[in-house]
Each structure stands twice: as C-alpha cells, then as structure tokens.
Amino acid sequence: MSEPLSTLVQRCAHQEEIRKSRFLANAAPVTTPGQALDFLRDIADPAATHNCWAYRIGQDYRFNDDGEPGGTAGRPILQAIEGQAMDRVAVVVTRWFGGIKLGAGGLVRAYGGTAAECLRRAERVPIIPMATLALSCGFADLALLKARLHELGASIAGETFTARGADLRLTLPVARVDEAVSRIADLTRGEGIAARID
C-alpha cells in the first residue's frame, strides 16, 4: 500500500546558502490552483533573481522555472512535493544569485533540496478521503443518530426538517461509510434511509 498523503498545517519556510547564492523555500497548504497562484504572488520577491515554484492539488499540478534553464527548478520542486508524499501544497523557492554558476545538476539539487528540506521540517496533517452521505430519519431517532455518527467522525453538512423527521447531509471518512450505514440501520430499526451521494 502506498504512503498516505498529507498536507501542511500552516505556512513554513527554510533557507540555505549554496555556493554564495541564497535559496529561500516557502510552502503553504492550498486547496485550489487560484490559492496556489495567490500564494506565489504574495511570497515572490521581485528583487530576487528567480522565484521558481510548483504546486500539486490532487491530479492538478503546475511548475515554473522563472528563467532558470528548463527543468532545473520547477520540476525538482514538484518532485520534492511528491517525494514527501504531500498534496494540496504550493512551494516557492526564491534565489538571490551569488555570482557562482551552479550548472544544471547543481540547480536541480539546490531547488529540489531546499524545497524538500522545507517540507521535511514542516508540521503536517494526513489527508483523509471524505464521503457524503444522505440520511432520512424520524424525529425520535435524530439525537441518538447525531451522537453515534459523531463517534465515526461524521459531521453535519446540512439539515432540513420534514413532516416525517429530518433529512441530513453528512460528511465522514470514506473508510467509515459502511459502518455508518450499518449503524444507522441498527439504531433506527431499519427505518432510517442512508445513501452515499458523492
């Protein structure tokens, strides 16, 4: 089984000096490409020589070498994100040139290594795949269901009341869906109706 993915708890930074050039990696948790690009605009230093970056959000990813030779900056940053088994993350590595050329291999190591060390030192949180469940139940079962489903990590995303009882929209970890459906049937004596809707 592959390593579970994680994301960052908050923004983090790591700086290194490599052959007189200063490399500063800034990383942040992001949930949309727009957020990733906003983070880039926020963090990029216009006075720096290069602001190279990458992000990954599920199957959506982008990277940019910002004037460095092709494949020597953005792709190694993306590989650092993937190598750390991270997702929903954006990383910007800013370089201030120190007068010594690093060559293509040196740039790959500098950008990728600085990004990887930044992510290695960061506080992370596992990404738990979530599902959405629709539930219809009678008023008499509502309080007990809410308490018992909360024990499974379920939270209420929506609630409407009907003449018969309540219709709930729940979010819960995918791994707990079958258990939740079974628990709903038990607690409502088969009268509660639950279906996955995502």
Side-chain angles (χ1 to χ4, degrees):
M1 189 175 155
S2 62
E3 186 179 348
L5 294 175
S6 60
T7 191
L8 298 171
V9 171
Q10 61 191 2
R11 287 185 178 194
C12 60
H14 172 71
Q15 182 173 292
E16 292 185 23
E17 186 170 312
I18 301 168
R19 299 188 68 196
K20 300 195 178 193
S21 282
R22 186 163 58 105
F23 290 85
L24 173 63
N26 283 282
V30 292
T31 55
T32 66
Q35 264 187 352
L37 296 174
D38 286 346
F39 172 67
L40 164 66
R41 281 188 286 276
D42 254 10
I43 218 76
D45 181 349
T49 317
H50 303 281
N51 291 285
C52 304
W53 54 271
Y55 70 77
R56 172 170 289 290
I57 303 163
Q59 297 304 309
D60 197 0
Y61 66 90
R62 277 183 63 194
F63 56 87
N64 188 293
D65 295 316
D66 191 36
E68 291 284 27
T72 62
R75 182 166 291 282
I77 295 168
L78 179 62
Q79 289 169 336
I81 294 169
E82 292 168 342
Q84 295 289 319
M86 298 199 81
D87 193 9
R88 303 181 196 165
V89 171
V91 179
V92 178
V93 180
T94 302
R95 178 187 185 193
W96 292 268
F97 183 61
I100 299 174
K101 293 192 175 196
L102 301 180
L107 289 172
V108 167
R109 287 187 295 278
Y111 280 103
T114 304
E117 189 60 25
C118 179
L119 295 172
R120 233 186 321 276
R121 294 172 179 228
E123 187 179 354
R124 331 168 154 222
V125 62
I127 296 173
I128 299 169
M130 300 297 278
T132 304
L133 203 63
L135 164 63
S136 293
C137 66
F139 288 116
D141 299 319
L142 188 58
L144 181 60
L145 278 173
K146 283 182 177 181
R148 293 293 172 85
L149 292 172
H150 182 73
E151 295 168 3
L152 299 178
S155 60
I156 297 172
E159 181 176 34
T160 55
F161 295 102
T162 65
R164 182 187 165 282
D167 290 334
L168 303 176
R169 199 172 73 254
L170 306 169
T171 57
L172 70 162
V174 167
R176 308 300 292 269
V177 169
D178 291 341
E179 187 179 354
V181 170
S182 176
R183 190 172 286 191
I184 290 164
D186 289 348
L187 293 172
T188 64
R189 297 148 316 279
E191 293 181 14
I193 301 166
R196 189 165 168 179
I197 58 172
D198 59 345

